Amino acid sequence: MNKKQLQSEQTRKRIVDAARMLFAQKGYKATSIEDIIAATGTSKGNLYYHFKSKEGLFLYLLDEWDREWEEKWEARESQFKTSSEKLFGLAEVLVHDDLNHPLTKAADEFFNEEKTSEIEERITGMVDRHLEWNRRLIQEGIDRGEYRAEQADEYAVVLESLLFGLSHMSRNRKPEAVLELYHRAMKVFLYGISAGTTSHTPG
């Protein structure tokens, strides 16, 4: 990396660090591009060179959050022997992460804002990665004989919808109540896909 590239990378890091702090402190809506520029001492041109918009910058932080979460999970995954144990472990990691991450409030605001088609496409890409992660975990359970040999893709969507809804519906609960809620939700989900249960189709 030459001197110019190093300076560019340092500027980018300053922008990211300042934005993360401001979004955590003020929320997504209340943080402006001007706030971030003032906090970094850089120019508007420099900021837009690295990130096209405030939305794009926040999405970068969400991607960073995803990567950090995956690292935390990888460090714990080997503790669980079965796919079902992994799903309960997943719930615990998600609860801890959602309740303690400094960007949780800002993320809630961000996802409720109107977005450009480009940003919507990038969010769709993030969701697709989550679904693929869910699908692999569920397929592992199917291969082990823990879950019924049905569509792992559909189970992945159900699981993501369940986790997304839980995240938003449990914001004002106490930590122990949130964890209990996630555990109950996982029990319901696992009852529905377990190889030892029979599915019931209306009609």
Side-chain angles (χ1 to χ4, degrees):
M1 186 180 291
N2 61 37
K3 186 177 179 180
K4 186 174 181 180
Q5 289 171 324
L6 180 60
Q7 288 175 336
S8 178
E9 187 58 34
Q10 288 172 340
T11 299
R12 179 186 179 88
K13 187 177 186 306
R14 280 206 315 276
I15 292 169
V16 168
D17 290 345
R20 188 189 303 107
M21 179 188 69
L22 288 167
F23 285 132
Q25 289 177 348
K26 301 177 65 173
Y28 179 77
K29 292 180 182 178
T31 300
S32 67
I33 287 291
E34 287 70 26
D35 291 333
I36 298 168
I37 289 169
T40 57
T42 191
S43 67
K44 185 175 286 190
N46 251 339
L47 189 147
Y48 284 124
Y49 172 78
H50 292 284
F51 301 98
K52 291 183 180 179
S53 62
K54 184 174 92 166
E55 289 175 317
L57 175 50
F58 194 75
L59 266 179
Y60 177 87
L61 292 173
L62 290 181
D63 275 332
E64 183 182 67
W65 182 357
D66 261 0
R67 291 193 298 271
E68 290 171 354
W69 186 90
E70 287 173 5
E71 288 174 5
K72 289 177 188 175
W73 174 254
E74 286 173 6
R76 290 194 60 185
E77 187 177 10
S78 61
Q79 300 174 18
F80 309 110
K81 295 179 181 179
T82 67
S83 298
S84 296
E85 285 180 7
K86 287 181 181 181
L87 281 171
F88 281 106
L90 168 67
E92 292 178 8
V93 174
L94 284 172
V95 168
H96 180 78
D97 202 44
D98 267 0
L99 290 177
N100 294 287
H101 201 283
L103 292 179
T104 294
K105 180 184 175 184
D108 286 346
E109 293 178 3
F110 173 76
F111 284 112
N112 285 321
E113 290 252 304
E114 198 170 319
K115 301 167 191 66
T116 65
S117 57
E118 180 187 353
I119 296 298
E120 288 286 3
E121 285 178 13
R122 290 178 60 186
I123 291 173
T124 298
M126 289 179 65
V127 172
D128 286 345
R129 290 201 307 275
H130 292 177
L131 291 175
E132 176 56 22
W133 194 94
N134 293 349
R135 190 200 67 77
R136 287 199 304 269
L137 180 57
I138 291 166
Q139 186 62 53
E140 177 187 290
I142 291 173
D143 294 342
R144 288 169 177 262
E146 293 179 55
Y147 311 142
R148 290 198 304 271
E150 296 182 359
Q151 290 293 328
D153 290 346
E154 292 180 1
Y155 288 157
V157 173
V158 173
L159 178 59
E160 186 65 18
S161 302
L162 179 67
L163 294 173
F164 184 81
L166 285 168
S167 175
H168 286 269
M169 295 297 291
S170 59
R171 286 284 186 258
N172 298 319
R173 294 172 181 254
K174 294 180 179 179
E176 58 273 17
V178 176
L179 185 56
E180 175 63 21
L181 183 64
Y182 270 68
H183 275 177
R184 287 182 182 275
M186 282 302 175
K187 287 178 184 177
V188 171
F189 177 73
L190 287 170
Y191 178 80
I193 71 173
S194 172
T197 60
T198 303
S199 61
H200 297 279
T201 306

